Amino acid sequence: MNDNKNMKTISGGVCAAKGFKANGIHCGIRKNKTKRDLSLIFSEVPAQAAAVYTTNLVKGAPLKVTKAHLADGKAQAIICNSGNANTCNANGIEIAEQMCELCANKLGISGDDVIVASTGVIGQPLDIEPISRGMAELAEGLGDNSDLAAEGIMTTDTVKKEVAVSFEIDGKECRLGGIAKGSGMIHPNMATMLVFIATDCAISSEMLHKALASDVQNTFNMVSVDGDTSTNDMVAILANSAAQNTPIISEDENFEIFMKALNTVTVQLCKSIAGDGEGATKLIECTVMCAADEKTAKLASKAVICSSLTKAAMFGADANWGRVLCAIGYSGADVDTDKIDVSFVSSAGEIMVCKNGAGVDFSEEKVKKILSEKEINILISLNSGLFSATAWGCDLTYDYVKINGDYRT
């Protein structure tokens, strides 16, 4: 019988799975020559593919091109630039298609098998020349370079985001890993800024899409840094079957194992994105328990991590629990406010600050220590049912305004 006991975190990021290579270079899109701005992920064989996209009505040209290319459920490469979103440009589709063709020509594949993504400033024309000049170097440098690819998709990110796991299906070792970028304009309604995942597990494109579309509802859709849903959000996944497991073609036991592996990676990427929010000093995790239904739990937890007042309180290590209740009250969740319990938890301990919707006596000194840690969990019990949900965010700092006040410069 299959289970998850053999699942473990491994190194390698998006290159952890067999048959995947990556690279990232500086080609000249960004003025700072020390910052990589063009990344490539390549599967040595054609792969099953799936993606989910932003629900913002204003969509970047790369998303439209990628959606067309994935109509057959297959892809073999992912090309992504940073420094320019290629959004709201008259020739955006043309540039995105050219990126795919330049990449495909160097790799000896079809342009229709290339996923394309861009991130950066909106409404600024993207010059194809730097990309054209850098494509040979990018392709020729393909190797076990997940870290370079992760660096090449960063904008205001301060750390690279990559994670991978290994797991077993029918006695075959499978691997799944990914990289992500996301720091600002993070309030997805499908995924987050950019996430690229690769696996050597054999799975059909239909089941791959089902797994991804289901997973993002409880992971990337539960992340918020600043309340702005980006125009270029995308999560894409490639599966090249190199592990040679029995192909997953239905929602069976093996599909559940795959889902667990995918979720393990995406949750870690969610935490990395939220913790690296623009100007952030703390990761905030809000767990809502004992809700009447899942919708209620999600509405309440997301409202708390989105609350500017709560985020500011966490920055100042201020146990202003009234802001937590306030956020739950306007979230749209159907709750009995007289049953709500709130606790603050971190590596420094746990303390209850609200019981049955009212304040309780607590040590200001202890709670200050708890809220001064880098990772804080706001634990909420609605005491009305059996459902739970978790959302991830960050504190709101002076630096967030500084970063976004001069983003274009």
Side-chain angles (χ1 to χ4, degrees):
M1 180 177 179
N2 284 319
D3 56 37
N4 297 316
K5 67 181 180 181
N6 294 313
M7 186 175 300
K8 59 184 178 181
T9 300
I10 59 175
S11 61
V14 78
C15 295
K18 299 184 189 75
F20 284 96
K21 299 178 179 178
N23 195 22
I25 65 168
H26 173 81
C27 71
I29 298 171
R30 304 178 73 169
K31 295 177 182 178
N32 189 334
K33 294 182 179 181
T34 66
K35 293 183 179 291
R36 300 179 193 276
D37 52 17
L38 190 63
S39 293
L40 175 62
I41 300 166
F42 177 59
S43 173
E44 295 174 340
V45 297
Q48 302 299 310
V52 287
Y53 315 91
T54 184
T55 55
N56 193 319
L57 293 179
V58 178
K59 288 180 171 61
L63 275 66
K64 299 174 183 178
V65 171
T66 291
K67 192 170 185 179
H69 286 188
L70 290 186
D72 63 354
K74 293 179 173 59
Q76 199 168 347
I78 301 172
I79 184 77
C80 177
N81 73 275
S82 59
N84 188 308
N86 190 19
T87 298
C88 298
N89 295 329
N91 67 341
I93 297 292
E94 177 186 351
I95 294 296
E97 289 284 13
Q98 287 180 15
M99 286 178 64
C100 293
E101 289 301 324
L102 287 168
C103 176
N105 289 340
K106 288 297 178 184
L107 298 175
I109 64 176
S110 168
D112 289 340
D113 288 331
V114 179
I115 290 170
V116 59
S118 298
T119 182
V121 179
I122 296 170
Q124 178 175 305
L126 176 59
D127 186 359
I128 196 66
E129 286 306 312
I131 298 171
S132 178
R133 290 195 304 267
M135 195 60 70
E137 177 188 354
L138 185 66
E140 290 167 7
L142 282 169
D144 187 16
N145 299 317
S146 175
D147 59 331
L148 301 185
E151 186 180 336
I153 64 176
M154 292 166 62
T155 51
T156 56
D157 305 62
T158 64
V159 295
K160 290 176 282 191
K161 303 167 179 70
E162 52 181 343
V163 65
V165 297
S166 67
F167 56 103
E168 283 190 12
I169 289 183
D170 294 335
K172 299 285 188 179
E173 183 193 35
C174 301
R175 297 185 170 198
L176 185 150
I179 60 174
K181 73 84 49 189
S183 189
M185 199 179 278
I186 304 293
H187 184 81
N189 191 13
M190 60 95 242
T192 191
M193 287 291 296
L194 291 175
V195 179
F196 305 128
I197 301 169
T199 181
D200 50 23
C201 182
I203 180 172
S204 69
S205 60
E206 291 80 10
M207 298 312 296
L208 197 61
H209 184 269
K210 183 182 289 287
L212 185 63
S214 173
D215 181 80
V216 299
Q217 302 303 323
N218 296 313
T219 56
F220 298 115
N221 278 4
M222 299 300 289
V223 176
S224 182
V225 167
D226 50 19
D228 279 321
T229 300
S230 171
T231 58
N232 288 51
D233 291 351
M234 180 197 299
V235 178
I237 184 169
L238 299 179
N240 67 8
S241 303
Q244 299 184 336
N245 59 285
T246 303
I248 298 171
I249 57 174
S250 64
E251 292 186 57
D252 57 11
E253 186 180 19
N254 289 341
F255 180 72
E256 293 303 316
I257 293 174
F258 180 82
M259 283 287 292
K260 177 63 176 178
L262 176 63
N263 184 255
T264 299
V265 167
T266 55
V267 165
Q268 287 305 310
L269 290 176
C270 282
K271 291 183 176 181
S272 295
I273 290 166
D276 191 36
E278 288 177 339
T281 65
K282 299 172 184 176
L283 166 66
I284 302 171
E285 183 174 274
C286 180
T287 303
V288 172
M289 305 178 300
C290 302
D293 51 56
E294 185 180 39
K295 179 182 178 182
T296 297
K298 284 185 173 182
L299 283 172
S301 59
K302 192 75 176 283
V304 172
I305 58 103
C306 288
S307 164
S308 293
L309 289 176
T310 300
K311 288 157 66 72
M314 294 301 99
F315 172 59
D318 177 15
N320 195 337
W321 58 267
R323 293 177 175 180
V324 174
L325 261 65
C326 178
I328 296 172
Y330 63 63
S331 68
D334 185 10
V335 301
D336 184 344
T337 58
D338 291 332
K339 291 183 177 181
I340 300 175
D341 300 340
V342 179
S343 296
F344 293 131
V345 186
S346 76
S347 59
E350 177 176 350
I351 193 166
M352 177 173 280
V353 293
C354 171
K355 178 71 175 176
N356 294 327
V360 297
D361 291 334
F362 58 85
S363 166
E364 290 287 354
E365 182 181 2
K366 180 179 179 180
V367 80
K368 192 77 172 180
K369 289 180 180 179
I370 291 171
L371 296 182
S372 295
E373 295 297 317
K374 294 283 291 182
E375 297 187 10
I376 299 165
N377 190 346
I378 301 175
L379 197 59
I380 300 166
S381 179
L382 300 181
N383 294 306
S384 299
L386 301 174
F387 293 85
S388 63
T390 300
W392 298 274
C394 60
D395 56 347
L396 180 59
T397 72
Y398 309 122
D399 285 339
Y400 177 82
V401 177
K402 291 180 182 177
I403 291 167
N404 284 283
D406 60 4
Y407 181 67
R408 292 197 306 146
T409 56

